[in-house]
Amino acid sequence: MDPFDAGAGGILRQPKAVWATAGASVVAFMGIGLVDPILPSIAKGLDATASQVSLLFTSYFLITAIAMLVTGFVSSRIGGRKTLLLGLALVVVFAGLAGTSGSVGELVGFRAGWGLGNALFVSTALAVIVGAAAGGSAAAILLYESALGLGMACGPLLGALLGDASWRYPFFGTAFLMAIGFLCITVFLKEQPKPARRRSLLDPLKALGHGGLASAAVSSFFYNYTFFTVLAFTPFVLDMTPYKSGAVFFAWGVLLAVFSVFAAPRLQERFGSLKVLGGSLVLLAADVLVLGYGDHTTAIVCTILSGAFIGVNNTVYTELALGVSDAPRPVASAGYNFVRWFAAAAAPYFAPKIEEWTDIHIPFVVAAVTAVLGALVVVVRRKALTHEAEELEPRHAVEDGVTVFAN
């Protein structure tokens, strides 16, 4: 069946519950890049340094990493609908509070609470969409993928449009949109069946005992340091107005979505996952080096272009994490994400610090080195990363009612 078919079960013929959850997912993914174009404005408004403001990402992803051990534990006990609503409620509260912050310390703390809510919501949304979808999972997964891409692309744009008037408005805007999502899910979504087996908090850590999964996690850790150096540090280097910075990262998000959903599967089919991943990591390293040493126009072009490599990497890493071990896929994904999100927390903190200790070019040199290290792990551990079992499913999978989310 063609998932774009407008007939029964197609992407355009889904129940209101599916559209409500997908719409809230768009806003949830917006939250990742929302602050990108307004980082310099926040620094100015709160009289903070770049390294202090970058803690907005660090606190957000540090909590997200830790929450990977909790989300399956929670959703397997209270069910998908209640987990979604709990996550949305936390985002509404903490995003709203973030807009009232009087200091960068308060803002960082509220952003951490936001990260917990977002982790609970995002880690459950796909399972709920698939469970409520009409006509099988193909159209539902495509709809979720579209929500991910749209959110990653539109987050910086929304941040720019609202942040041009005040850096506080994007936070209030997110709280408002998520409140609408909360109401829609409350009205349209019925409770989903609970998993047959409850998850333990230690299950994801035990899964990392598998050499292939641990290798994928370590390689992705290095890659994510590069990824979030681009996302969190580049806005300070570009030093543009919120509108212009938002436009740059909107284009970046569009490339990320297109290459993640459409280009990566075709490249994998032709060249194989490990060759595609290794090559994309090396190209990302080269792109980041040119970004760090080029002029302003070159930096803009390289920032946008990095979205293509990041999109490819996200897809391949997720498939590796889901299929390389014999652990249940939600458990394997949680362990993998637990490791890699620590790099997303580290990069926004260390990149500005490295600039303070050296100069503006060196953070990008470090980011290029970590991308190459990720590629070296893939090469050295290629046997452990080779999947010989049944064919992998696309990027996301649902097992026992629990969502796998790795991008």
Side-chain angles (χ1 to χ4, degrees):
M1 181 189 71
D2 182 0
F4 287 100
D5 186 359
I11 191 172
L12 301 178
R13 303 282 292 182
Q14 293 297 327
K16 292 179 180 178
V18 173
W19 285 111
T21 308
S25 297
V26 172
V27 183
F29 294 125
M30 280 183 180
I32 295 177
L34 180 81
V35 300
D36 250 34
I38 57 172
L39 286 175
S41 299
I42 294 173
K44 184 178 180 180
L46 294 178
D47 193 24
T49 64
S51 59
Q52 288 175 320
V53 172
S54 292
L55 290 174
L56 292 175
F57 284 98
T58 297
S59 62
Y60 183 91
F61 286 112
L62 183 62
I63 295 300
T64 298
I66 296 171
M68 287 299 110
L69 303 180
V70 177
T71 53
F73 177 88
V74 172
S75 63
S76 67
R77 284 162 172 77
I78 69 175
R81 181 176 182 271
K82 291 179 181 177
T83 304
L84 287 181
L85 292 175
L86 175 61
L88 286 170
L90 288 172
V91 173
V92 170
V93 170
F94 284 105
L97 289 173
T100 68
S101 300
S103 68
V104 70
E106 288 182 6
L107 185 55
V108 168
F110 293 142
R111 180 76 168 167
W114 183 347
L116 174 60
N118 213 51
L120 288 169
F121 175 83
V122 168
S123 66
T124 312
L126 178 63
V128 171
I129 289 176
V130 172
S137 62
I141 291 176
L142 180 60
L143 185 62
Y144 185 81
E145 292 284 0
S146 301
L148 188 156
L150 186 62
M152 289 294 288
C154 292
L157 200 60
L158 178 66
L161 292 174
L162 297 178
D164 189 62
S166 170
W167 65 263
R168 299 180 187 273
Y169 290 169
F171 299 109
F172 294 139
T174 299
F176 176 74
L177 291 173
M178 287 304 245
I180 294 175
F182 183 96
L183 292 175
C184 290
I185 288 176
T186 300
V187 172
F188 296 120
L189 181 65
K190 296 180 180 179
E191 184 56 85
Q192 305 287 297
K194 294 181 182 179
R197 177 182 175 273
R198 292 183 174 183
R199 301 295 182 193
S200 163
L201 291 174
L202 296 179
D203 283 351
L205 297 178
K206 293 177 181 177
L208 290 170
H210 185 278
L213 181 61
S215 299
V218 170
S219 178
S220 184
F221 175 89
F222 289 124
Y223 154 65
N224 271 268
Y225 185 95
T226 308
F227 177 178
F228 286 93
T229 296
V230 173
L231 190 63
F233 183 64
T234 304
F236 292 104
V237 176
L238 297 180
D239 193 22
M240 303 165 74
T241 65
Y243 276 126
K244 291 181 180 179
S245 182
V248 169
F249 279 96
F250 173 74
W252 168 87
V254 169
L255 274 187
L256 186 154
V258 169
F259 274 77
S260 178
V261 177
F262 299 107
R266 289 168 173 79
L267 290 170
Q268 287 175 274
E269 184 178 355
R270 181 170 182 179
F271 300 107
S273 294
L274 297 186
K275 288 182 180 179
V276 169
L277 181 58
S280 181
L281 285 168
V282 172
L283 289 173
L284 178 61
D287 179 80
V288 169
L289 268 182
V290 176
L291 192 164
Y293 282 94
D295 59 20
H296 193 259
T297 300
T298 302
I300 292 173
V301 172
C302 289
T303 299
I304 295 172
L305 183 60
S306 70
F309 305 125
I310 288 169
V312 170
N313 293 337
N314 284 351
T315 295
V316 181
Y317 271 121
T318 302
E319 292 191 357
L320 287 176
L322 297 186
V324 74
S325 76
D326 56 0
R329 289 180 172 181
V331 175
S333 177
Y336 160 81
N337 279 292
F338 174 73
V339 174
R340 78 176 188 121
W341 284 128
F342 278 108
Y349 174 78
F350 283 111
K353 288 292 185 182
I354 292 170
E355 181 199 8
E356 293 174 7
W357 300 331
T358 56
D359 60 51
I360 199 168
H361 306 297
I362 303 304
F364 294 102
V365 174
V366 174
V369 169
T370 56
V372 171
L373 287 174
L376 285 175
V377 173
V378 171
V379 172
V380 172
R381 298 287 296 167
R382 60 186 179 278
K383 290 185 179 180
L385 290 169
T386 301
H387 176 61
E388 299 176 352
E390 62 185 11
E391 184 178 356
L392 294 172
E393 295 180 45
R395 294 185 63 201
H396 302 87
V398 179
E399 182 174 306
D400 293 339
V402 181
T403 293
V404 171
F405 170 73
N407 285 334

